[in-house]
Amino acid sequence: MTDYFALLDLPRRPWLDEEEVKRQFHSFSRTLHPDAQNNRIPVAVETPSFHDLNEAYGVLRDPRQRLRHFLALVEGPTVGAMAGELQDLFASICEVMHAADRLLERHAATQGVLARSLLKAETVKIESAIGSTLKQLNELYQQALSEVQKADARSTSDNPPDLTALAQINLNLTFLVRWLTQLEEKKFLLSNV
């Protein structure tokens, strides 16, 4: 596995300043970009490809992907269950998504303008439920990122970050991003019926 932290000459940490990641990427890309006229790196020196550089930047600039990559490199533990707060939300998220799916099916089966207008009140109700659920999930996502940042700030060379806690946050982030994506899609589909 390629160490993207090393590739961009950044410290291997679960949290990085996004501007620093961007600066490092731009610094390396100026010399490695295929269109660069004066490639300043001698041919004898083994250098990463521009594709690898782009891939490293894509992973390290995204906090969730960076955390996943960090845990893979340090061979962090795996966690099998989402946190209790997310388990409690799971049923309500499923309920909202199923309600949206049923309503979308009813819209697809409805032909007349009058029949569609009768579905409008239910559409507004479900859009509102999706909106409040998205807000709650976005807050949890931001809290999880804050936890990663705090765990990183507490760690030193003598006191490494709690890998089990970071693995749990990583799993929670995976569920949160999946649900956010699915609910955003439902919201979009409902806005176009």
Side-chain angles (χ1 to χ4, degrees):
M1 165 184 283
T2 303
D3 182 346
Y4 294 143
F5 296 96
L7 193 69
L8 288 177
D9 196 25
L10 290 164
R12 187 186 288 179
R13 299 175 62 180
W15 189 264
L16 295 171
D17 176 51
E18 290 182 37
E19 285 302 313
E20 179 61 23
V21 174
K22 188 176 186 178
R23 273 192 295 280
Q24 286 295 99
F25 170 72
H26 285 256
S27 172
F28 282 102
S29 67
R30 279 192 292 272
T31 58
L32 293 176
H33 193 278
D35 294 338
Q37 291 181 357
N38 297 330
N39 207 346
R40 291 175 228 130
I41 299 173
V43 176
V45 176
E46 188 174 326
T47 59
S49 70
F50 190 69
H51 170 76
D52 291 341
L53 191 67
N54 270 324
E55 192 172 316
Y57 178 60
V59 168
L60 295 183
R61 74 178 177 177
D62 180 284
R64 184 177 58 92
Q65 290 184 43
R66 180 188 324 118
L67 178 58
R68 180 180 297 146
H69 184 64
F70 171 81
L71 289 168
L73 290 173
V74 298
E75 298 179 6
T78 56
V79 179
M82 68 180 107
E85 186 176 8
L86 293 185
Q87 287 177 347
D88 296 341
L89 274 175
F90 181 67
S92 64
I93 292 167
C94 287
E95 185 179 312
V96 169
M97 285 199 281
H98 289 307
D101 286 338
R102 286 190 304 271
L103 183 60
L104 287 166
E105 288 172 7
R106 287 175 51 206
H107 270 287
T110 304
Q111 298 293 325
V113 175
L114 179 60
R116 283 183 180 263
S117 68
L118 293 174
L119 293 176
K120 187 64 178 167
E122 191 175 348
T123 303
V124 170
K125 180 181 172 187
I126 292 176
E127 285 176 329
S128 175
I130 288 174
S132 63
T133 305
L134 283 170
K135 181 180 178 192
Q136 190 174 16
L137 290 174
N138 276 312
E139 288 170 1
L140 289 171
Y141 180 82
Q142 292 305 320
Q143 286 175 5
L145 293 183
S146 178
E147 289 174 26
V148 173
Q149 192 172 13
K150 288 175 187 174
D152 181 69
R154 286 189 303 265
S155 69
T156 63
S157 58
D158 296 335
N159 181 28
D162 181 353
L163 296 180
T164 303
L166 288 174
Q168 183 65 58
I169 295 168
N170 180 52
L171 180 66
N172 293 348
L173 285 170
T174 300
F175 282 107
L176 287 167
V177 168
R178 182 178 305 143
W179 293 336
L180 285 164
T181 303
Q182 290 171 340
L183 285 169
E184 286 290 348
E185 180 184 359
K186 304 291 184 212
K187 181 180 172 183
F188 174 77
L189 292 171
L190 285 172
S191 70
N192 289 308
V193 292

